[in-house]
Amino acid sequence: MTAEGLENLKKELEEALAQRPVISAAIAEAREKGDLSENAEYDAAREAQGLLEVKIANLKNRVANAKVINESQIGTDKVQMMNKVKVMNLTMNREMEFTIVGESEADLSKGRLALTTPIAKALLGHAKGDLVEAKVPAGIIKFKILDITI
């Protein structure tokens, strides 16, 4: 992932950790209302706490196992992770541009395509000028790679 992606992940973890006291307070408030066996507020707060703890554990794991890619070591001779790839979609006769990123950084609205998508998988390892076919749920899309940059 990019250094920016790791920072965003750390920020998301900090925000999740900041929610712990809020949920603890909600549980304490619900507990004060009496009989816990029939207290929907208490049950909801406990469930929220459980979901938050799962999210925190997941984020901690992702931060601990993140590998930041040094952009200076990325080549542009063949498509690889972190490359910006300009293609001609021959199926739709439309020029498109994607940056190949890790799953956690993907955002198609920003042109950030996850490495695990069929299109990214098809483009990987190909050079400028290559014709590539990507098998997607809607069928097969044909691309011509126009440019590869960082």
Side-chain angles (χ1 to χ4, degrees), residues 1-9 68 71 105 110 112:
M1 81 172 31
T2 63
E4 177 188 357
L6 180 58
E7 286 308 310
N8 289 340
L9 208 54
V68 177
E71 290 185 26
E105 296 181 82
K110 294 180 182 175
R112 300 172 69 84

Side-chain angles (χ1 to χ4, degrees), residues 1-2 4-5 69 71 79-85 98-108 110-117 120 124:
M1 81 172 31
T2 63
E4 177 188 357
I69 294 177
E71 290 185 26
V79 177
Q80 59 184 308
M81 189 159 168
M82 303 303 298
N83 279 144
K84 186 177 283 187
V85 185
F98 305 110
T99 301
I100 310 294
V101 297
E103 189 76 32
S104 64
E105 296 181 82
D107 183 349
L108 197 53
K110 294 180 182 175
R112 300 172 69 84
L113 192 61
L115 183 68
T116 55
T117 62
L124 285 176

